[in-house]
Amino acid sequence: MRGGDFVQLPVPIIQQLYHWDCGLACSRMVLRYLGQLDDSEFESALQELRLTRSIWTIDLAYLMRHFGVRHRFCTQTLGVDKGYKNQSFYRKHFDTEETRVNQLFAQAKACKVLVEKRTVSVQDIQEHLAQGHVAIVLVNSGVLHCDLCSSPVKYCCFAPSGHRCFCRTPDYQGHFIVLRGYNRATGCIFYNNPAYADPGMCSTSISNFEEARTSYGTDEDILFVYLDS
């Protein structure tokens, strides 16, 4: 369903298989929405791009380029923020990943991967969704709160059924989600969370979404993907 004040795009849910592959699950959702997902091709693309257990937003941009999908990756930092070295979420792989990720940014233009250093507003996101396009967003999952998952059922998007919901934590927990719509009247954003397959679509307030996507650690990364690819 699409309209100026209400958008709900039919983006399929694909659940992540491991704790680290939320970005890949989001990419699968987007490619299936575009009618371009072939599992064997996807697996060969992962091998060709050497995507392992550490997936950054720039990796997803290269993945979209690999499939010829029109995209635009907006971020606050063109490369790796050295301040993240002290963040528990990044610490384990930081030194090896810093060189790799910075190289991807440096080669992006030559590889026809579109990267822009810019701030994105909620209005920009809503205009994008209103045209039937989708976006993959990096959020702090410790902050993001799904209104549909937490009430009336006592579990949330980030834990398997029956597990205790994540508490709000000061530690950054990077997680990718797929945006699929909004409702201006209620001031909410609709998204798919690859960590959780039920109830299917998640919803949160714009203020909570903004807090989650602008948390320190996200670089406000957002990968806009276009339907007319």
Side-chain angles (χ1 to χ4, degrees):
M1 294 177 67
R2 264 199 275 169
D5 293 325
F6 183 88
V7 174
Q8 195 177 110
L9 303 174
V11 182
I13 291 275
I14 296 178
Q15 204 165 359
Q16 64 194 85
L17 300 176
Y18 312 99
H19 68 88
W20 54 267
D21 67 335
C22 55
L24 300 184
C26 287
S27 298
R28 286 178 185 269
M29 292 187 224
V30 167
L31 290 170
R32 184 167 287 173
Y33 173 67
L34 298 176
Q36 290 189 222
L37 181 61
D38 178 288
D39 287 330
S40 59
E41 282 182 28
F42 191 83
E43 291 303 323
S44 63
L46 299 187
Q47 291 182 354
E48 192 174 322
L49 295 171
R50 297 177 183 174
L51 297 185
T52 56
R53 291 190 172 203
S54 184
I55 305 292
W56 294 60
T57 319
I58 188 73
D59 290 314
L60 305 184
Y62 271 79
L63 193 54
M64 291 301 137
R65 173 70 189 99
H66 179 91
F67 285 99
V69 171
R70 191 158 74 90
H71 63 278
R72 184 162 51 99
F73 169 27
C74 298
T75 182
Q76 293 293 309
T77 310
L78 297 175
V80 177
D81 184 334
K82 285 189 178 292
Y84 295 164
K85 189 169 186 173
N86 300 317
Q87 289 274 95
S88 59
F89 181 81
Y90 288 106
R91 195 177 297 141
K92 187 177 177 183
H93 302 287
F94 189 88
D95 291 332
T96 52
E97 287 295 278
E98 183 181 19
T99 302
R100 183 186 76 82
V101 171
N102 283 338
Q103 278 183 337
L104 290 176
F105 273 94
Q107 297 163 359
K109 190 172 183 180
C111 294
K112 296 183 179 177
V113 173
L114 186 58
V115 182
E116 293 179 16
K117 182 179 179 180
R118 61 167 293 220
T119 299
V120 175
S121 69
V122 171
Q123 289 72 30
D124 294 331
I125 293 170
Q126 289 175 332
E127 285 174 19
H128 181 77
L129 294 168
Q131 295 173 66
H133 309 313
V134 291
I136 298 174
V137 183
L138 180 60
V139 297
N140 182 352
S141 69
V143 170
L144 190 68
H145 169 82
C146 174
D147 296 328
L148 301 180
C149 293
S150 59
S151 177
V153 188
K154 296 298 181 189
Y155 53 73
C156 74
C157 307
F158 311 111
S161 179
H163 285 223
R164 200 162 46 82
C165 188
F166 280 1
C167 298
R168 289 174 73 92
T169 167
D171 287 342
Y172 169 72
Q173 291 295 324
H175 188 60
F176 290 104
I177 60 173
V178 179
L179 300 189
R180 59 181 289 183
Y182 61 86
N183 185 339
R184 284 193 207 275
T186 58
C188 65
I189 292 281
F190 302 134
Y191 62 95
N192 285 359
N193 184 343
Y196 206 73
D198 183 39
M201 184 184 73
C202 290
S203 174
T204 191
S205 66
I206 285 175
S207 60
N208 179 246
F209 170 66
E210 285 292 273
E211 184 186 0
R213 80 175 183 98
T214 60
S215 290
Y216 181 70
T218 66
D219 285 325
E220 298 184 29
D221 283 4
I222 179 164
L223 179 59
F224 289 107
V225 179
Y226 296 84
L227 191 59
D228 51 343
S229 297

